[in-house]
């Protein structure tokens, strides 16, 4: 399948803009101070139904990822899969 070069360029710009938007929102959350880091604390907050949104890095092990997604589904909490690794997510 052939695609028009401008179409792929627009898609690349849109994903970059979305990525920057997520990073800006993460910076606001970090300033606010209402966040938890790490698998154990995230699972504890999900069990006590205090979570609102879960952001998972793309290099998270599959077993942990599926466990977090399962608890999030039970608690009706949104899950976002971040397009970077854990280092990128930590510095966002």
């Amino acid at each position: 399948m052939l695609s028009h070069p401008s179409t792929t360029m627009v898609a690349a710009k849109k994903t970059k803009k979305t990525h920057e938007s997520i990073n800006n929102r993460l910076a606001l959350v970090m300033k606010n101070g209402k966040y938890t880091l790490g698998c154990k604390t995230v699972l504890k907050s999900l069990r006590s139904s205090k979570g609102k949104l879960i952001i998972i890095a793309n290099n998270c092990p599959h077993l942990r990822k599926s466990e977090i997604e399962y608890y999030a589904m039970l608690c009706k909490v949104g899950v976002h899969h971040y397009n970077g690794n854990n280092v990128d997510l930590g510095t966002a």
Side-chain angles (χ1 to χ4, degrees), residues 49-92:
S49 64
K50 292 182 181 177
K52 304 241 183 203
L53 175 68
I54 308 295
I55 302 174
I56 301 175
N58 67 354
N59 65 341
C60 180
H62 183 70
L63 185 63
R64 283 188 183 170
K65 186 185 296 187
S66 61
E67 185 181 10
I68 291 170
E69 288 173 345
Y70 176 71
Y71 276 105
M73 179 201 57
L74 290 176
C75 297
K76 298 176 183 169
V77 173
V79 176
H80 177 76
H81 297 280
Y82 191 72
N83 287 333
N85 61 9
N86 57 343
V87 176
D88 295 337
L89 182 59
T91 58

Side-chain angles (χ1 to χ4, degrees), residues 4-32:
H4 196 271
S6 65
T7 307
T8 56
M9 194 172 194
V10 170
K13 284 183 181 179
K14 191 170 187 175
T15 57
K16 186 176 180 183
K17 189 174 183 180
T18 306
H19 191 67
E20 289 175 359
S21 173
I22 291 169
N23 287 344
N24 291 339
R25 290 181 185 203
L26 277 174
L28 286 173
V29 170
M30 297 295 252
K31 267 188 181 179
N32 192 8

